[in-house]
Amino acid sequence: MTAFLYALTVLIWGTTWIAIKHQLGPVAFEASIAYRFALAGAVLFGALALAGRLKAIPSRHQPFVLLQALCLFSCNFACFYLATRSVPSGVVSVVFSAATVFNVANAYLFHRRRPAPRVLAGAVIGLLGIACLFRDTLLGTALDRDTALGLGLALLGTWFFSAGNLVSARNQRHGLPVATVNAYGMLYGAALVAGVAALRGVPFGFDPSPAYIGALVYLAIPGSVIGFTAYLTVVQRIGPEKAAYMTVLFPVVALTISVFAEGYRVTPLAALGFALVLAGNVVVFAPLHRLSGQRKGRPEAACDA
């Protein structure tokens, strides 16, 4: 199940960058973010309520649910949407792949948890692969003031995402259900973005075009309801450091789609990049598979795991 959720998240979030491009237009980015998470939160909240799985969150944990909303459902996306005004979305997705490094660093800074050597090695190999995949794009982006600002915002958004991983892990350790926290958090995030936008006088227009509505629905339901629930469940199962490695795979999915949809040509350097990303994934996770095979038939080992 963990492998399935991992692959599902990579597939969904590897395609959301394309949908985000369709939301950059006449509608203010604050409105688009608010619409996305209001719809996602309402759908998830209603589904959980109908299934009898919506749980009450004690008041002492509400500040941490709000903090998760700040990190995962508002501030990070505001940074990403702003960044795509200055740099190509492909570059933003590359910067986002640095979440695996941020998660390792934040885990050490806040919890003094040293990463396993294989996690560090896999992260380095994967990031080298991303550099090979996007070498031409990165070199073709002139580093002027606007580009530097866009890259800075993309890094800040990635840091918020990483911090949200740790907050979610904290909430899960205290027994808060992932889906319930996401439902409340998405509604909180939508309200936060809408409130700040209202204070700034941002107009809340709407684009009735099929492209905008289709992107909104895709980002809200698969991209948010399914994607965040699957991702944060993986965080619960294998930890934020290993879970964040999937961000390295998102640009690979985007490029694979480009091969068939946009005629992207795989150069030898890009092929090397693909191979390095996959090799990094093997380095991070292969030891877990081997240990699992060695422990079969040992109940005490399974309990420890």
Side-chain angles (χ1 to χ4, degrees):
M1 179 57 70
T2 301
F4 169 75
L5 293 174
Y6 187 94
L8 180 64
T9 306
V10 169
L11 178 62
I12 292 174
W13 281 0
T15 58
T16 53
W17 299 103
I18 299 172
I20 287 176
K21 287 176 61 177
H22 290 292
Q23 292 212 303
L24 297 175
V27 181
F29 77 89
E30 297 96 332
S32 292
I33 295 172
Y35 295 152
R36 170 181 179 173
F37 287 112
L39 176 58
V43 169
L44 185 54
F45 200 97
L48 291 173
L50 288 174
R53 296 178 55 197
L54 186 67
K55 307 297 182 182
I57 298 179
S59 58
R60 68 180 183 278
H61 295 304
Q62 287 288 351
F64 293 97
V65 177
L66 181 61
L67 183 59
Q68 183 171 323
L70 276 170
C71 293
L72 291 182
F73 308 128
S74 55
C75 292
N76 61 327
F77 281 99
C79 291
F80 292 140
Y81 274 70
L82 281 171
T84 53
R85 290 180 171 181
S86 304
V87 295
S89 60
V91 175
V92 176
S93 70
V94 174
V95 175
F96 185 57
S97 66
T100 184
V101 176
F102 278 123
N103 273 17
V104 168
N106 284 337
Y108 179 75
L109 288 174
F110 293 107
H111 299 297
R112 287 294 183 263
R113 188 167 63 238
R114 294 182 180 276
R118 67 171 181 271
V119 175
L120 282 177
V124 171
I125 294 170
L127 291 174
L128 284 174
I130 289 295
C132 291
L133 283 169
F134 285 90
R135 174 184 174 274
D136 293 337
T137 301
L138 293 172
L139 292 180
T141 302
L143 191 59
D144 53 21
R145 180 181 176 183
D146 288 343
T147 301
L149 177 61
L151 292 174
L153 286 168
L155 282 170
L156 181 60
T158 304
W159 183 88
F160 274 120
F161 174 81
S162 175
N165 285 198
L166 297 184
V167 177
S168 175
R170 178 266 172 203
N171 290 336
Q172 292 167 25
R173 284 196 304 272
H174 284 78
L176 302 183
V178 171
T180 295
V181 172
N182 281 353
Y184 280 98
M186 288 174 185
L187 293 176
Y188 290 168
L192 287 167
V193 173
V196 172
L199 289 174
R200 295 179 56 240
V202 175
F204 269 65
F206 190 80
D207 182 358
S209 69
Y212 182 87
I213 294 175
L216 175 61
V217 172
Y218 185 78
L219 289 170
I221 309 304
S224 299
V225 174
I226 299 174
F228 274 104
T229 301
Y231 176 77
L232 294 178
T233 301
V234 173
V235 169
Q236 180 184 32
R237 293 183 174 209
I238 65 176
E241 297 94 333
K242 298 185 185 72
Y245 189 84
M246 67 177 70
T247 63
V248 177
L249 296 175
F250 298 157
V252 176
V253 173
L255 280 185
T256 302
I257 293 173
S258 294
V259 170
F260 297 99
E262 301 174 345
Y264 174 78
R265 295 181 61 187
V266 180
T267 65
L269 186 61
L272 174 62
F274 274 102
L276 287 173
V277 169
L278 294 176
N281 214 25
V282 171
V283 169
V284 171
F285 294 107
L288 297 180
H289 297 160
R290 186 164 58 247
L291 286 174
S292 177
Q294 291 173 353
R295 291 179 176 178
K296 286 183 178 178
R298 292 175 54 194
E300 70 278 10
C303 292
D304 290 343

